[in-house]
């Protein structure tokens, strides 16, 4: 069969309820072979869609495996666009495996990762960017990532691209029509001033979408915050407070942390990736020096740097940190206020640096520091309708589309012919189509790469 009926467990193990999904032309027929309804004996195919049927799943010996509820969906009005059934069983791993075994014995095959959503895409229930949003919605860890995924799933991004594509396609068609009348050089079906204005407008919209990737990527993968400073200033203690768990070993021995320790936490609905790094000092220890080099590497990767100090730094240390964080947000964290009142003498002159006094040992002013970290992240307030790019694939396609559109603008400034403009406009449309799969279907390798990241049953 070219399009066999598939089945999969769609719920995580350990719950009170387990759901098995079936999709394909034979979904209702196969489910009928193992389902015995209580009350009406009408086959599932004859029942109204969007209804529930109560009954038992039975094996070949007519023994009851479980009492279940069966949800019925008729094509094309289902998630996949095919006939579909969802069997709600008790969450026992044994029961779920028995039902899966019976389904495969009666004609189903186990679904691959993401195959339900892949079928929804292939059956026109959603475009490619919406299909990818399903995976993002499943993996959302906070409100921001949830809202971004839901916005994309609802088609806000797709609608924006569709609008751009419609304008580009109209002008491309007019330019190509001019080629059919190339012996009449004076004919111009596409108004050049209108084309130029539109190209500049779309250029701005593509650039704006591409710029949103920095925010989207940070929210999706977490904003990297590096905790740096000398040995024994309290970096590991601070990390443990920020993560609300004993993640790092705390010791009075200098050089305890020889490699970076990284973990995620959520502050005010934003995911941060905190990195505790090896203490910076001069040492002959080869392993510790490797850790210090990794500290500088993480410092370069971070968007926010927490410079932890417990005494007045030297001018050389101040200049060094200024140079290393020139393009980052730096928060100077003056630790150990429980031990000394000398912090008021710490003097680091720089208008863009924020300073806060804490006690990592006792947790003093940690909420204040957390608020400063949120402010340094500089994440705009997002709503469900905001379009924010989170996929590196989308970002790359937008950049390529914008690059081709810039060639259109440059060509018009140079007064080049319509055939060159039309070619570059087609390239723009093709790059936008790579995002949604509209008109120009992406290569099989792209589809496979996208859907293999889904969990079984979705």
């Amino acid at each position: 069969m070219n399009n066999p009926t598939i089945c999969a467990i769609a719920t995580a193990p350990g719950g009170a309820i387990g759901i098995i999904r079936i999709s394909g032309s034979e979904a209702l027929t196969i489910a009928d072979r193992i389902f015995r309804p209580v009350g009406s004996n009408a086959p599932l195919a004859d029942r109204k869609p969007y209804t529930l049927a109560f009954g038992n799943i039975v094996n070949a010996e007519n023994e009851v495996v479980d009492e279940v509820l069966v949800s019925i969906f008729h094509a094309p009005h289902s998630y996949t666009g095919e006939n579909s059934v969802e069997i709600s069983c008790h969450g026992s791993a044994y029961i779920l495996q028995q039902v899966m075994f019976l389904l495969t014995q009666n004609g189903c095959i186990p679904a691959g990762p993401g195959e339900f959503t892949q079928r929804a895409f292939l059956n026109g229930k959603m475009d490619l960017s919406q299909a990818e949003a399903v995976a993002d919605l499943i993996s959302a860890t906070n409100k921001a990532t949830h809202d971004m995924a839901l916005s994309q799933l609802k088609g806000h991004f797709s609608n924006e691209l569709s609008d751009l594509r419609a304008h580009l396609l109209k002008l491309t068609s007019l330019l190509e029509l001019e080629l059919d009348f190339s012996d009449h050089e004076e004919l111009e079906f596409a108004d050049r001033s209108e084309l130029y204005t539109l190209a500049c407008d779309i250029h701005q919209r593509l650039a704006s979408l591409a710029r949103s990737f920095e925010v989207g990527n940070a929210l999706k993968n977490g904003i990297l915050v590096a905790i740096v400073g000398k040995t024994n200033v309290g970096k590991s203690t601070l990390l443990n407070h920020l993560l609300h768990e004993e993640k790092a070993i705390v010791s009075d021995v200098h050089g305890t942390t020889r490699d970076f320790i990284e973990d995620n936490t959520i502050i005010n609905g934003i995911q941060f990736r905190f990195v505790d790094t090896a203490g910076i000092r001069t040492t002959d220890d080869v392993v510790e020096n490797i850790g210090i080099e990794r500290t500088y590497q993480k410092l370069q990767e971070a968007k926010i740097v927490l410079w932890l100090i417990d005494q007045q730094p030297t001018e050389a240390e101040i200049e060094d940190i200024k140079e290393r964080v020139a393009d980052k947000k730096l928060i100077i964290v003056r630790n150990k206020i429980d031990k000394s009142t000398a912090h008021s003498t710490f003097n680091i002159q720089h208008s863009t640096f924020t300073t806060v006094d804490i006690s990592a040992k006792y947790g003093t002013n940690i909420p204040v520091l957390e608020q400063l970290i949120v402010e340094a992240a500089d994440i705009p307030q997002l709503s469900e309708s905001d379009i924010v790019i989170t996929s590196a694939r989308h970002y790359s396609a937008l950049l390529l589309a914008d690059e081709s559109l810039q060639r259109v603008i440059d060509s018009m400034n140079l007064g080049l012919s319509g055939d060159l403009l039309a070619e570059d406009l087609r390239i723009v449309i093709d790059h936008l189509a790579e995002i949604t799969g509209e008109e120009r279907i992406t290569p099989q390798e792209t589809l496979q790469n996208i859907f293999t990241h889904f969990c079984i049953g979705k």
Side-chain angles (χ1 to χ4, degrees), residues 35-256:
F35 177 64
R36 298 294 179 267
V38 173
S40 171
N41 290 320
L44 294 176
D46 294 342
R47 295 172 183 255
K48 291 182 179 180
Y50 311 121
T51 59
L52 296 174
F54 172 70
N56 298 310
I57 297 294
V58 297
N59 60 22
E61 289 73 36
N62 212 35
E63 298 171 335
V64 174
V65 175
D66 194 19
E67 286 186 340
V68 301
L69 283 173
V70 173
S71 307
I72 303 161
F73 305 91
H74 292 177
H77 305 296
S78 70
Y79 179 78
T80 60
E82 303 171 328
N83 286 338
S84 298
V85 173
E86 291 185 358
I87 303 174
S88 298
C89 315
H90 290 93
S92 158
Y94 171 76
I95 290 174
L96 292 169
Q97 291 301 328
Q98 285 298 302
V99 176
M100 283 291 293
F101 172 76
L102 291 172
L103 289 172
T104 55
Q105 287 292 300
N106 282 275
C108 281
I109 66 167
E115 189 169 355
F116 286 89
T117 305
Q118 184 174 10
R119 289 191 177 199
F121 164 70
L122 294 174
N123 290 327
K125 301 298 290 184
M126 59 181 68
D127 65 33
L128 198 53
S129 70
Q130 290 173 297
E132 291 171 290
V134 174
D136 289 343
L137 191 61
I138 293 170
S139 61
T141 57
N142 54 68
K143 186 179 187 302
T145 52
H146 168 271
D147 288 349
M148 290 188 300
L150 196 59
S151 172
Q152 188 169 319
L153 182 59
K154 287 186 174 181
H156 296 153
F157 182 36
S158 302
N159 292 339
E160 174 77 0
L161 295 180
S162 179
D163 182 58
L164 297 178
R165 180 184 176 281
H167 285 90
L168 289 167
L169 189 58
K170 174 186 174 183
L171 288 168
T172 304
S173 301
L174 292 174
L175 285 169
E176 291 182 350
L177 183 61
E178 290 178 3
L179 301 179
D180 293 335
F181 295 88
S182 56
D183 51 339
H184 298 277
E185 295 182 1
E186 71 283 358
L187 286 178
E188 284 190 355
F189 294 103
D191 183 274
R192 293 304 190 265
S193 61
E194 178 187 351
L195 175 57
Y196 187 83
T197 300
L198 179 64
C200 291
D201 178 56
I202 294 177
H203 167 67
Q204 294 298 323
R205 292 163 74 179
L206 291 178
S208 177
L209 288 171
R211 282 195 301 271
S212 73
F213 178 68
E214 182 180 355
V215 171
N217 187 54
L219 289 173
K220 182 178 179 180
N221 298 312
I223 299 168
L224 185 61
V225 182
I227 305 173
V228 301
K230 291 183 177 180
T231 58
N232 217 27
V233 294
K235 298 187 299 298
S236 296
T237 305
L238 176 58
L239 176 73
N240 290 340
H241 266 293
L242 292 168
L243 296 178
H244 305 288
E245 64 172 297
E246 296 298 315
K247 184 73 175 181
I249 297 172
V250 176
S251 169
D252 291 333
V253 178
H254 288 271
T256 302

Side-chain angles (χ1 to χ4, degrees), residues 23 80 114 121 124 140 142 223 246 293 318 330 336 383 390 397 430:
S23 182
T80 60
F121 164 70
N142 54 68
I223 299 168
E246 296 298 315
E293 285 301 314
I318 294 172
L330 175 68
K336 303 183 181 179
S383 67
T390 61
D430 285 345

Side-chain angles (χ1 to χ4, degrees), residues 2 26-27 33 71 124 133 186 190 208 249 280 312 358 420 422 451:
N2 293 328
E26 299 297 313
R33 293 172 187 163
S71 307
E186 71 283 358
S208 177
I249 297 172
I280 300 172
Q312 174 67 37
I358 70 162
L420 296 176
F451 291 110

